[in-house]
Amino acid sequence: MLRDALADEPAYRLRQVDEGLWRQLRRPAELTVLPRGLRDRLEAGFPPALTCVATAVADGGRTTKWVFELGDGATVETVAMAYGNRVTACISSQAGCAMGCTFCATGQAGFRRHLAAAELVEQVVAAARHAAPRRLGNVVFMGMGEPLANYDATVATIRALTSKMGMSARHLTVSTVGVAPAIERLAVDTPTVTLAVSLHAANDALRDTLVPLNRTYPLERVEAACHAWNTATRRRISFEWALIDGVNDRTSDAAELAAIARRCAAHVNLIALNPTPGYATPGTPRDRVLAFRDTLAGLGVNVTVRATRGREIDAACGQLAAVEGGRTVRVRAPRRAATPV
Ligand code: SAH
Ligand code: SF4
């Protein structure tokens, strides 16, 4: 920990280091307010956790994807999306994912390991540096992995981003496939973050086939966790629903979804399924996405259609699988991007 490394220094050094690393997004070697020896010691003691091995750009420069290599050679992907002068970072919480959702490239590739909090935070720092002078407005835990299966690192990251980087917790969105007990813990530990639950089906028979975790935490259990979230936080949940042609885009699906969304006072975010190598059924065509939205709205649901970003560089939702088997990305000389925590 940085605090330990600075134990013998005057108290103002910690403030200087925090300001330099977290607000100015510098590396220890760049902290010229510090004496040379201390700078070198910090740089050596806190080497970067991420090495950028590839970058790809899409959407006329508004979407950037990085492939980061971790110390043990595992790779993860991070995406930055610009909306006007605000940038949203989409970060990975695990290398791979053990949840096995059939329609998701990360799930298709399997699990490698959890990320440490420092590896999560450094993704945000990389995106914030890239964003400057624009603001990093939002961070979404919607990259590779299931953040609530890596609970401690996720909460440590949320705490670091709010207390050190000064981000508002409301601008941090944790997306989960429905790890019900962890949703209930999160409601206590970080009640001001935004919660998104990836639902995709509102009956157990269908959800079992799309989201294997549903066999452990079926809809009734997930719904109970959503009620607990609402009671504890008084904040509106989002339900994520990737529309799959002929699978979960029927009128009956809209009716089932509307019922659970109303009971949970949830906002519904629709997106057409993005293509992945291991799942043959395509996303719902645009006209029927809009019709599904209108059906939900007619049933009294608060609903929006999410725009897809980064599809041509496999950076869109569910397409992150990191290099092997992925589409070729433009490879640049490795570049270090990191901040110690
Ligand atoms: N594991 C977490 C967060 C990462 S996935 C979760 O599942 O919520 C981020 C989002 O992308 C989730 O809503 C997920 O359901 C969605 N997703 C996965 N594969 C997709 C695909 N092929 N097309 C569109 N969205 C997809
Ligand atoms: Fe994991 Fe989320 Fe993909 Fe499911 S959708 S496999 S939980 S990353």
Side-chain angles (χ1 to χ4, degrees):
M1 289 283 283
L2 261 180
R3 187 175 288 278
D4 303 326
L6 294 169
D8 296 334
E9 301 289 332
Y12 65 86
R13 287 282 182 233
L14 186 59
R15 284 196 299 278
Q16 286 177 326
V17 170
D18 274 351
E19 166 71 22
L21 298 181
W22 293 96
R23 302 293 177 139
Q24 297 162 3
L25 308 172
R26 296 180 200 271
R27 287 286 318 153
E30 298 163 349
L31 302 182
T32 46
V33 293
L34 304 181
R36 185 64 193 248
L38 179 59
R39 234 187 294 164
D40 292 347
R41 193 153 57 77
L42 290 178
E43 185 67 36
F46 298 92
L50 308 178
T51 303
C52 179
V53 292
T55 315
V57 179
D59 302 320
R62 290 174 306 137
T63 304
T64 301
K65 176 173 94 167
W66 297 276
V67 180
F68 289 118
E69 190 174 279
L70 313 177
D72 61 356
T75 49
V76 294
E77 301 186 353
T78 306
V79 182
M81 293 159 285
Y83 300 92
N85 60 5
R86 294 227 154 204
V87 173
T88 293
C90 177
I91 63 171
S92 294
S93 54
Q94 299 176 315
C97 183
M99 297 297 164
C101 303
T102 47
F103 50 83
C104 168
T106 311
Q108 290 157 14
F111 179 68
R112 178 149 175 180
R113 74 161 165 90
H114 293 302
L115 263 56
E119 293 165 336
L120 280 149
V121 167
E122 286 189 16
Q123 295 175 65
V124 179
V125 171
R129 283 188 178 161
H130 162 84
R134 296 164 300 184
R135 262 178 74 83
L136 185 69
N138 294 280
V139 174
V140 296
F141 293 69
M142 290 190 179
M144 296 164 71
E146 168 52 48
L148 294 189
N150 186 12
Y151 188 85
D152 291 346
T154 295
V155 168
T157 301
I158 291 166
R159 296 217 161 110
L161 297 181
T162 50
S163 69
K164 303 274 194 177
M165 227 187 216
M167 293 192 75
S168 150
R170 282 182 298 114
H171 294 147
L172 309 179
T173 299
V174 174
S175 179
T176 177
V177 74
V179 188
I183 291 173
E184 291 159 357
R185 272 181 82 187
L186 196 72
V188 176
D189 291 339
T190 61
T192 45
V193 297
T194 301
L195 180 70
V197 176
S198 301
L199 214 57
H200 308 310
N203 72 70
D204 284 321
L206 177 58
R207 198 162 190 268
D208 281 351
T209 68
L210 297 173
V211 175
L213 188 73
N214 197 65
R215 295 179 210 137
T216 309
Y217 302 119
L219 281 162
E220 205 183 0
R221 180 69 187 88
V222 173
E223 186 174 338
C226 291
H227 291 306
W229 176 271
N230 286 339
T231 306
T233 70
R234 306 255 152 235
R235 296 181 48 73
R236 183 186 285 276
I237 294 176
S238 293
F239 284 160
E240 306 294 313
W241 193 278
L243 282 159
I244 311 172
D245 196 10
V247 172
N248 64 357
D249 60 359
R250 301 156 300 179
T251 312
S252 60
D253 297 303
E256 289 165 351
L257 169 56
I260 187 170
R262 280 199 310 260
R263 289 197 300 273
C264 295
H267 176 96
V268 173
N269 253 322
L270 301 174
I271 186 168
L273 186 82
N274 289 310
T276 59
Y279 191 80
T281 315
T284 301
R286 180 79 185 164
D287 55 332
R288 284 199 286 112
V289 170
L290 299 180
F292 193 87
R293 175 198 63 187
D294 294 343
T295 305
L296 285 175
L299 293 168
V301 176
N302 195 313
V303 54
T304 46
V305 175
R306 211 148 37 106
T308 279
R309 280 289 188 90
R311 249 201 212 183
E312 69 264 39
I313 54 169
D314 286 347
C317 296
Q319 294 187 310
L320 302 182
V323 280
E324 304 97 333
R327 194 93 68 78
T328 311
V329 290
R330 184 155 49 88
V331 178
R332 285 194 190 148
R335 187 168 59 86
R336 295 280 180 177
T339 289
V341 285

